[in-house]
Amino acid sequence: MSFFIHTIGDRRIEARLNISENTEAALALIVHPDPNLGGKMDNPIVLAMEKAFYDAGFSTLCFNYSTNPNPILTTHGEKTPDFLDISMLIDWAMQERSDFRHFWIAGASFGAYLALQVTMRRPEIVHFVAVSTPLWQNDFSFLAPCPVSGLVVHSKQDETTMVNAVEVWAQRLSQNTKSLVTLKTIADTDHMFSNKLEILQKTIFDYLQTVEHSTGKLIPA
């Protein structure tokens, strides 16, 4: 069920919170693609990510950007909300839900870019999941060194960023001995995994079984 969170100033964020039956569950905050391109919390790719996390035992928090966003400019000049809304949601979760102690963040497309920005700025984040990371559209040089481990999922036929560039990027992020970035690729689909959402969901779900949710550390094989 959707509800509104009132934050600083005139910001009003529409959100959807699904609470796990596990009282110790980590919270996964899921960031949707660029709203200028139709991105919202009800996108099929967001719903697939949300179900993967919830089925794996997480509580999940999805949202639409605030009604009074503070925009930034992308490399193409479009105005898009910045990561301030995301940071406000984390603050809200920490203040209003004292049972949330462990935070993950996940994002798709431009949402992955924002999610990784927040990962660098918020020490509460213990792990990330980045889907269809737009390396050729945005500058990811800020992610060095990568502070936590994470999962990158990419289509082998992604029309926005070739998979070999993502492979090199993921390997570079894993050079930090404190973090390990795992890359999973899915064939025969597009940037938004239009015909492979069930496979995307299973890929994320299976990966979540290999990580300690409270710490973000990989479970020894």
Side-chain angles (χ1 to χ4, degrees):
M1 183 175 68
S2 297
F3 60 97
F4 284 94
I5 297 172
H6 295 268
T7 60
I8 298 172
D10 295 328
R11 288 175 180 265
R12 187 167 178 258
I13 302 173
E14 184 180 16
R16 180 174 61 245
L17 179 64
N18 288 322
I19 303 293
S20 171
E21 294 180 358
N22 176 10
T23 57
E24 298 295 322
L27 177 67
L29 177 60
I30 302 172
V31 189
H32 64 68
D34 190 339
N36 287 318
L37 302 177
K40 56 184 180 180
M41 68 179 178
D42 289 329
N43 280 157
I45 195 169
V46 173
L47 295 176
M49 296 167 68
E50 180 183 28
K51 183 168 175 53
F53 274 100
Y54 187 78
D55 288 351
F58 285 76
S59 294
T60 61
L61 180 59
C62 302
F63 71 101
N64 290 327
Y65 289 113
S66 64
T67 54
N68 183 28
N70 177 25
I72 59 173
L73 293 181
T74 68
T75 54
H76 301 295
E78 303 95 344
K79 290 185 176 181
T80 58
D82 63 13
F83 56 82
L84 183 57
D85 282 353
I86 309 172
S87 190
M88 288 180 175
L89 283 168
I90 296 173
D91 291 340
W92 173 87
M94 294 175 65
Q95 294 167 7
E96 301 296 326
R97 303 284 312 197
S98 59
D99 49 333
F100 292 152
R101 301 182 183 89
H102 315 294
F103 294 85
W104 286 48
I105 195 164
S109 190
F110 188 72
Y113 172 71
L114 292 180
L116 291 171
Q117 287 268 8
V118 174
T119 298
M120 290 296 294
R121 296 167 182 263
R122 296 296 300 242
E124 298 90 350
I125 303 297
V126 299
H127 211 92
F128 70 84
V129 174
V131 176
S132 296
T133 312
L135 293 184
W136 291 354
Q137 284 73 38
N138 301 101
D139 181 7
F140 284 82
S141 61
F142 64 85
L143 203 64
C146 185
V148 297
S149 297
L151 169 68
V152 173
V153 186
H154 208 76
S155 165
K156 288 185 177 180
Q157 283 74 41
D158 192 316
E159 63 275 21
T160 68
T161 305
M162 297 297 292
V163 69
N164 59 343
V166 178
E167 290 172 348
V168 172
W169 175 70
Q171 291 173 359
R172 185 164 62 248
L173 293 183
S174 292
Q175 291 176 354
N176 180 1
T177 57
K178 294 183 179 180
S179 63
L180 175 64
V181 176
T182 300
L183 173 64
K184 300 288 185 180
T185 58
I186 298 176
D188 302 321
T189 189
D190 56 17
H191 180 67
M192 300 304 289
F193 294 90
S194 301
N195 62 329
K196 293 290 180 73
L197 288 171
E198 290 185 1
I199 294 177
L200 171 65
Q201 179 182 315
K202 186 177 186 305
T203 298
I204 296 174
F205 175 85
D206 288 347
Y207 174 80
L208 296 176
Q209 310 311 304
T210 69
V211 183
E212 172 58 50
H213 297 175
S214 61
T215 65
K217 299 185 180 300
L218 296 179
I219 299 172

